[in-house]
């Protein structure tokens, strides 16, 4: 991980920036997740990198039996506890070590959180452990092409940290660049079927840039 504590420092401005930014713009990443969610009635959902919990509230309202959240930032978890129905279901911790039992979750959702990991495979193994048979993983992450360009490197396989500005350049985040093959590694395909793949349209991108690169990579995977 690049900097586990960064959301302790930027959490408040991230929450404020996100709220203001999406008060006038469509949140395409959230729309992607909503469009790929199964019927949540009676289901157990886990939001990895749940942040301040606004998505958890949505899954609760959609009829999920239980919604859990894990985030490495205690500040973000404290903020989430203020808005969700079941604050005891929120954990401070890393998504590659989740305090839930084997086959206890039906749907895992990760919105803009996977890319903070230095090693995606360890988290994929953990997701597969806690998912029920046929359980699904729905994720949106910063696009590898965009993060590669942001590193300024000539080597696509570089492991450099990316610095990116969000929400009209008001919030600065840092995370390691991941290649496309890191997202869809051999370990990933050993544990999941790729059910659907999308990338942000270059029309009205969430994070505009001169080269019109897609802002996010989004996918749905089903446990094998
Ligand atoms: C860009 S924010 C997204 C928050 C929320 N999902 C949203 O869409 O508003 C990324 C979140 O991932 C969390 N995070 C980073 N590394 C993590 C890890 N290894 N395990 C769990 N959460 C992590 C951060 O603390 C932060 O709250």
């Amino acid at each position: 991980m690049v900097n586990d504590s960064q959301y302790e420092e930027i959490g408040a401005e991230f929450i404020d920036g996100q709220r203001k930014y999406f008060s006038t713009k469509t949140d395409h990443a959230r729309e992607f997740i909503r469009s790929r969610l199964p019927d949540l009635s009676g289901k157990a959902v886990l939001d990895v990198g749940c942040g301040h919990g606004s998505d958890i509230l949505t899954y609760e309202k959609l009829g999920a039996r239980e919604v859990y959240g894990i985030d490495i930032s205690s500040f973000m978890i404290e903020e989430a506890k203020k808005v969700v129905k079941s604050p005891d279901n929120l954990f401070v911790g890393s998504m590659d070590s989740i305090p839930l039992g084997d086959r206890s979750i039906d749907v895992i959702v990760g919105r803009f959180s996977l890319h903070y990991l230095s090693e995606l495979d360890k988290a994929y193994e953990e997701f597969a452990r806690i998912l029920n048979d046929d359980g699904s993983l729905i994720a949106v992450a910063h696009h590898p092409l965009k993060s590669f360009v942001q590193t300024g490197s000539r080597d696509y396989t570089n492991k450099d940290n990316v610095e990116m500005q969000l929400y009209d350049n008001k919030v600065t985040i840092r995370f390691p660049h991941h290649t496309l093959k890191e997202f869809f590694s051999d370990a990933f395909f050993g544990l999941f079927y790729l059910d659907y793949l999308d990338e942000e349209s270059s029309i009205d991108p969430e994070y505009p840039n001169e080269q019109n690169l897609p802002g996010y990579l989004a996918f749905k995977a089903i446990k094998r």
Side-chain angles (χ1 to χ4, degrees):
M1 277 156 275
V2 160
N3 178 1
D4 292 350
S5 65
Q6 65 181 304
Y7 278 82
E8 304 300 329
E9 288 149 30
I10 65 163
E13 59 194 36
F14 174 84
I15 295 167
D16 189 51
Q18 189 185 79
R19 190 178 299 121
K20 286 187 182 141
Y21 190 84
F22 289 119
S23 65
T24 56
K25 295 182 178 64
T26 306
D27 189 335
H28 298 289
R30 282 210 167 95
E31 283 192 342
F32 171 84
I33 291 171
R34 285 289 292 269
S35 72
R36 293 289 141 189
L37 281 176
D39 176 3
L40 292 187
S41 315
K43 297 248 176 15
V45 179
L46 169 68
D47 187 344
V48 291
C50 62
H52 57 298
S54 55
D55 293 339
I56 292 192
L57 196 58
T58 303
Y59 310 138
E60 287 176 335
K61 286 181 181 161
L62 287 170
R65 184 182 82 240
E66 284 171 311
V67 187
Y68 297 90
I70 186 165
D71 199 288
I72 198 125
S73 160
S74 53
F75 172 82
M76 296 302 258
I77 288 291
E78 285 310 309
E79 290 299 305
K81 283 186 175 178
K82 294 177 189 167
V83 297
V84 306
K85 285 190 198 154
S86 301
D88 291 346
N89 287 354
L90 303 181
F91 313 111
V92 177
S94 181
M95 69 181 94
D96 51 17
S97 177
I98 299 169
L100 290 170
D102 297 359
R103 293 188 161 82
S104 57
I105 295 292
D106 300 296
V107 182
I108 297 176
V109 185
R111 182 182 185 276
F112 287 114
S113 53
L114 258 54
H115 47 262
Y116 288 95
L117 295 161
S118 48
E119 261 188 69
L120 294 166
D121 284 355
K122 201 173 156 215
Y124 289 149
E125 280 166 24
E126 190 64 341
F127 297 166
R129 179 186 70 75
I130 64 167
L131 276 175
N132 278 322
D133 294 342
D134 298 331
S136 50
L137 164 66
I138 304 171
V140 179
H142 287 295
H143 199 288
L145 197 53
K146 176 97 183 284
S147 67
F148 166 57
V149 169
Q150 292 286 123
T151 63
S153 170
R154 294 171 64 87
D155 174 9
Y156 174 62
T157 64
N158 82 81
K159 302 303 298 171
D160 292 353
N161 292 336
V162 180
E163 188 173 291
M164 205 176 269
Q165 270 76 40
L166 307 182
Y167 307 139
D168 292 330
N169 299 327
K170 291 196 173 69
V171 185
T172 302
I173 56 165
R174 291 176 185 82
F175 58 91
H177 164 61
H178 297 287
T179 64
L180 189 61
K181 184 63 189 176
E182 282 179 78
F183 280 102
F184 303 118
S185 62
D186 291 348
F188 171 91
F189 282 110
L191 299 163
F192 296 97
Y193 296 104
L194 183 59
D195 179 67
Y196 191 78
L197 176 69
D198 203 0
E199 55 188 2
E200 187 174 37
S201 154
S202 55
I203 302 161
D204 188 22
E206 182 175 333
Y207 308 119
N209 55 85
E210 286 171 9
Q211 287 162 298
N212 226 1
L213 299 168
Y216 66 66
L217 172 71
F219 62 93
K220 178 172 182 176
I222 309 290
K223 183 177 162 179
R224 281 183 186 273

